[in-house]
Amino acid sequence: MVVLFTGGLASAGMSLCYLCSFITISWIFHENPGVSLVLLTTGSSLGQIVMPYLNEIVITEYGWRGAYYILGALALNCCACGLFIYFNRPYFHKGVTSNIKGNVCDRLFERSLLTDPLLLMTLLNVLLLATTGPIEAWFLVDLMVIRGFEREQGSLFVSINGFANFLGRGLGGILRMFCHVPTIYHWVYLAPVVAVGHLLIVNFYDYWPLFWANMLYGTFFGVTVAQEPAIMFEASGLERYPKGIALMNLMYGIGNFVGGLIGGIIKDELGTYNLLFYIAVGASLYVSLATVGIIFCMRHRNKHSKPNEPLLEQDVFFQGDDIFERQPLLRRHSAY
């Protein structure tokens, strides 16, 4: 019942709320949503700071059944937020092709997104980050217990990780605000630092080295993850963004499922999580190298694009913060 209703039903509801929040932000701040989309991601890191302590308190005081009642009551506050969003629909700007006519497949999937090699490479990077990036949040408590720490100390380190993640997402917003290059460029140097964070955490055994390793990892992973919605907006454009961010969330769902499964299998077979952390190091390094390839292909595509080729309606192009509207203008420099 726990797997069915918490892992299935509650997660499906959370996924819909998460998806709708990003789509709403893109429709309201449609002229330049990058910073708003980055800052929106700080909510999950705030939850990572608060929830480990809150879960410990309510389970201790009320048992796991009472904890479910309280968590359910907290989730109902989303209804008030949903009503607020619903009555602000006149301020939405969905673009000129938001109401796509066609069959069910056309409504569910944007074929131009699924046939763009650069976008597919970006989605693969997101999948790898979703599979291996949050392993500290999933397994850090168990890792600390294996190393002889108390369970409460493990929860403390998860909260420290969440606090650093929150700082990183704030830094991601500042970076997006003042650095006028395509957002994906930053993954070239951010992903290797995340890899270093994984490496330090699995090789440090004392309290304070682990503390600073978690601060390093959490901050730079927060910056990396915070930029993903903005990257998808730059890649897909306003009209295609709802389906683009849905694809990105799908990669997150697959990655979270696979990552947790792999971690559990490794722990059961080897008695430790070390191999999982080394896999995460390799995945982060691959993300950096793949991003270099994406940037090279982007520049090659822009260099060889025809200067007088008409701008197609399903295309959108960016150069830094400049958005070129979808009108019969000439093709200009693009990030994707």
Side-chain angles (χ1 to χ4, degrees), residues 117-131 187 228 232 247-248 251 283 286-287 290 294:
L118 297 185
L119 184 59
L120 293 177
M121 292 172 64
T122 304
L123 288 174
L124 177 60
N125 281 353
V126 172
L127 177 63
L128 291 174
L129 288 173
T131 303
W187 279 12
E228 290 176 353
M232 178 53 66
L247 277 175
M248 182 169 284
M251 295 300 103
Y286 170 83
V287 168
I294 291 172

Side-chain angles (χ1 to χ4, degrees), residues 56-67:
E56 290 289 342
I57 292 172
V58 297
I59 290 174
T60 302
E61 293 292 329
Y62 305 106
W64 71 271
R65 294 178 183 274

